[in-house]
Amino acid sequence: MDLYVVRHPPVAVDKGVCYGQLDVALKPGFEVLGNSLRESLPSLPVYSSHLSRCRQLAHLIDPDHAVDARLAEMHFGEWEGLRWDDIPRTELDLWMNDYVTQRTPGGESFADVGDRLTEFLQTLRDAGKEGAVLISHAGVIRSLLIRWTGLSPDKAFRKQIEFGSVHHISV
């Protein structure tokens, strides 16, 4: 299955804020990206995270897109909306030492994100889909790269995932 995974456009959130699954606004001008992607992406079913920063872009690409919460960014629990610098250092260190399996307080682990993506992809396979366009988040893209291309977690987290970037992944 060929996936074209698009990271949502830039958001109107101060740099350094942990916003994971917070429903935050897009910066003005995202429509230009949507129009460009509509012309350049293959004609495949479009699926979007349930968060508005993805749904708004997906609507520009395909007004009939499907929404699926399994495409959401990692849920950071109690850290959502906090500045990364304001998260208690002991909690942050505990998570950073094993971010793949360690859950954030009240949230998810990176492995949890991968598990819900695996479930989503199985749903596509069961429906006979041979490809899809996914409008999603950097964490989702990294998870797909790790699980289906063999990229190590360390390399995936060092990889720059730009806003509006498209990543072709064969699953």
Side-chain angles (χ1 to χ4, degrees):
M1 176 182 333
D2 281 323
L3 301 176
Y4 296 84
V5 192
V6 181
R7 185 178 182 197
H8 60 80
V11 294
V13 174
D14 291 339
K15 192 173 178 95
V17 171
C18 175
Y19 57 90
Q21 286 193 20
L22 286 180
D23 206 10
V24 298
L26 290 172
K27 286 186 176 179
F30 71 91
E31 299 86 357
V32 173
L33 175 63
N35 293 333
S36 171
L37 289 170
R38 185 176 56 247
E39 300 298 321
S40 64
L41 287 168
S43 181
L44 291 168
V46 176
Y47 298 86
S48 172
S49 160
H50 71 292
L51 298 168
S52 64
R53 60 187 182 263
C54 294
R55 284 186 293 111
Q56 289 176 335
L57 179 62
H59 182 77
L60 293 173
I61 296 167
D62 178 2
D64 296 323
H65 69 279
V67 175
D68 197 302
R70 294 174 292 186
L71 296 174
E73 182 60 278
M74 183 174 147
H75 192 284
F76 285 93
E78 296 171 13
W79 297 354
E80 299 265 338
L82 296 179
R83 296 192 58 73
W84 284 101
D85 291 343
D86 294 337
I87 296 170
R89 190 74 211 172
T90 54
E91 289 180 16
L92 190 58
D93 287 346
L94 179 65
W95 178 67
M96 289 296 290
N97 287 333
D98 184 15
Y99 57 87
V100 173
T101 61
Q102 178 67 42
R103 290 186 171 103
T104 60
E108 292 182 296
S109 70
F110 191 65
D112 292 333
V113 174
D115 291 345
R116 52 180 162 84
L117 290 171
T118 298
E119 182 182 293
F120 171 78
L121 292 176
Q122 188 59 51
T123 301
L124 292 183
R125 281 191 195 104
D126 292 348
K129 304 292 183 193
E130 294 184 16
V133 172
L134 310 180
I135 312 301
S136 198
H137 310 269
V140 167
I141 294 167
R142 286 186 174 98
S143 181
L144 290 168
L145 289 170
I146 291 166
R147 287 204 177 198
W148 285 280
T149 71
L151 193 64
S152 73
D154 286 342
K155 286 185 180 177
F157 276 90
R158 283 195 301 268
K159 183 175 179 56
Q160 190 74 317
I161 310 285
E162 300 292 338
F163 290 109
S165 61
V166 179
H167 304 265
H168 179 217
I169 301 169
S170 292
V171 176

